[in-house]
């Protein structure tokens, strides 16, 4: 038998091989096109996600909040984010980060209000309040922001401490965003003598300190704190405890006494209703150069009970 392939069969095989090569080429081009389209799709999605994230950051407040951050009168400290209550020269400082919607904050206040008030009135501590809005972020709504703005409006006229107490005493259930209503915040102001004025109402309704509150919340989130309440005695965390000891009214008094050993009580308490100039929007010190705050709400320097919620 001859081993030669007939010319007709050879041509048929060559045509079949060429067709297969063409099909492989088309398949390769198709796969390349699919991969390229997928890459473009992923990049497009990433761009959209990035845009959404950027816009979310703007809506979230902080430095992106519209308008300058107008600090309330008497606010002190870095960027004027601190609301002080008590003698400016007290030997110890109790720093409290709180959220008016935070239920653990209200529990903390209920348990420690009298103790903190006593320590502040005796010149043993100055309480420095900072406001956060983490519940708004966790559950939605704007009650944390609205209540904090109203508290800052109360600070403008030296009524922060008693209004702070009223807000926590009337805190709605955590899922209930009742504090989002300015009308409710104004209604509660009626429980603080001399607070419900046209000026206060305008401040609340216009959200005069909203950008300041958002700036404070940004400072809280960037501060590495675990949640509200965050409570520090001279910079050391004491909530839920210190070392092996759990916080309690008795232990708080003991820790303050230990910190103040050999030191004189503070006496530099501003007169009733006095306030220092509002801090400029750039966070620089008040024009008079005094770091001390106006504070006390009517009468003495009653510190509104701290409220911050652990791990809220």
């Amino acid at each position: 038998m001859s081993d030669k392939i007939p010319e007709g069969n050879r041509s048929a095989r060559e045509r079949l091989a060429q067709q297969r090569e063409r099909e492989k080429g088309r398949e390769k081009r198709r796969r390349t096109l699919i991969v390229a389209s997928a890459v473009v799709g992923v990049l497009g999605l990433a761009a959209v996600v990035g845009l959404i994230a950027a816009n979310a950051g703007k809506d979230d407040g902080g430095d992106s909040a519209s308008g300058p951050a107008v600090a309330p009168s008497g606010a002190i400290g870095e960027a004027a984010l601190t609301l002080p209550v008590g003698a400016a020269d007290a030997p110890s400082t109790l720093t409290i980060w709180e959220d008016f919607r935070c239920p653990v904050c209200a529990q903390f206040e209920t348990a420690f209000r009298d103790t903190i008030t006593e320590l502040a009135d005796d010149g043993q501590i100055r309480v420095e309040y900072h406001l956060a809005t983490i519940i708004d972020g966790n559950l939605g709504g704007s009650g944390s922001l609205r209540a904090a703005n109203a508290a800052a409006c109360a600070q403008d006229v030296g009524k922060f401490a008693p209004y702070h107490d009223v807000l926590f005493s009337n805190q709605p259930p955590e899922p209930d965003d009742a504090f989002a209503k300015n009308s409710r915040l104004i209604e509660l102001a009626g429980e603080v003598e001399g607070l419900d004025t046209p000026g206060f109402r305008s401040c609340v309704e216009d959200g005069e300190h909203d950008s300041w509150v958002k700036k404070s919340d940004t400072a809280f989130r960037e501060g590495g704190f675990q949640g509200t309440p965050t409570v520090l005695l001279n910079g050391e965390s004491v909530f839920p405890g210190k070392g092996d000891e759990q916080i309690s009214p008795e232990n708080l008094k003991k820790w303050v006494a230990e910190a103040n050993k050999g030191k004189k009580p503070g006496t530099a308490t501003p007169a009733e209703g006095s306030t220092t100039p509002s801090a400029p929007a750039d966070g620089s010190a008040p024009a008079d150069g005094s770091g001390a705050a106006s504070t006390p709400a009517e009468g003495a320097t009653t510190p509104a009970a701290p409220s911050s919620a652990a791990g809220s």
Side-chain angles (χ1 to χ4, degrees):
M1 178 182 289
S2 172
D3 60 357
K4 294 182 179 180
I5 299 175
E7 188 65 29
N9 290 345
R10 179 179 296 158
S11 297
R13 289 184 180 182
E14 288 176 352
R15 287 195 300 272
L16 181 60
Q18 291 172 356
Q19 182 178 353
R20 288 176 177 172
E21 288 299 322
R22 287 194 296 270
E23 289 176 353
K24 288 181 181 179
R26 285 196 296 268
E27 178 64 18
K28 183 176 180 181
R29 288 193 297 273
R30 188 178 71 85
R31 290 180 179 177
T32 300
L33 180 60
I34 291 174
V35 171
S37 298
V39 170
V40 171
V42 169
L43 292 176
L45 178 60
V48 171
V49 170
L51 180 61
I52 292 173
N55 288 336
K58 292 178 182 179
D59 292 339
D60 197 37
D63 291 337
S64 300
S66 59
V70 180
S73 296
I76 63 171
E78 184 176 356
L81 296 177
T82 301
L83 300 182
V85 173
D89 60 346
S92 285
T93 300
L94 189 70
T95 303
I96 302 171
W97 288 87
E98 60 191 2
D99 182 328
F100 286 109
R101 286 182 70 187
C102 163
V104 182
C105 295
Q107 294 168 13
F108 181 81
E109 170 184 334
T110 299
F112 290 90
R113 176 188 296 125
D114 292 345
T115 301
I116 293 174
T117 299
E118 178 184 339
L119 290 170
D121 285 349
D122 289 345
Q124 299 300 313
I125 61 172
R126 175 171 70 172
V127 189
E128 295 189 345
Y129 291 98
H130 298 263
L131 307 181
T133 61
I134 60 174
I135 304 301
D136 284 357
N138 292 344
L139 298 182
S142 60
S144 299
L145 172 61
R146 300 263 49 78
N149 172 69
C153 292
Q155 168 70 19
D156 281 335
V157 291
K159 303 287 185 180
F160 171 78
Y163 187 60
H164 170 284
D165 290 344
V166 167
L167 288 176
F168 278 114
S169 296
N170 291 273
Q171 184 189 74
E174 189 175 14
D176 182 356
D177 197 23
F179 280 171
K181 298 180 179 179
N182 289 331
S183 58
R184 177 56 176 161
L185 298 170
I186 291 172
E187 177 186 3
L188 291 175
E191 298 186 21
V192 177
E193 183 178 359
L195 179 57
D196 186 7
T197 64
F200 173 80
R201 290 188 173 215
S202 176
C203 181
V204 171
E205 292 170 347
D206 294 344
E208 183 172 329
H209 299 299
D210 280 3
S211 293
W212 177 84
V213 173
K214 292 176 182 180
K215 190 172 183 179
S216 179
D217 183 66
T218 297
F220 172 77
R221 295 174 187 277
E222 294 178 349
F225 302 116
Q226 298 303 307
T228 52
T230 289
V231 185
L232 311 171
L233 177 60
N234 297 326
E236 180 181 0
S237 177
V238 293
F239 186 90
K242 178 183 176 183
D244 296 331
E245 297 179 295
Q246 293 295 309
I247 192 170
S248 67
E250 294 74 21
N251 279 341
L252 181 57
K253 287 183 178 180
K254 183 184 75 170
W255 298 335
V256 170
E258 291 172 349
N260 292 353
K261 188 175 182 180
K263 301 176 182 178
K264 296 181 179 180
T267 57
T269 301
E272 176 180 354
S274 67
T275 58
T276 54
S278 296
D282 63 2
S284 59
D288 64 359
S290 69
S294 79
T295 97
E298 37 176 312
T301 59
T302 307
S307 82
S308 1
S312 293

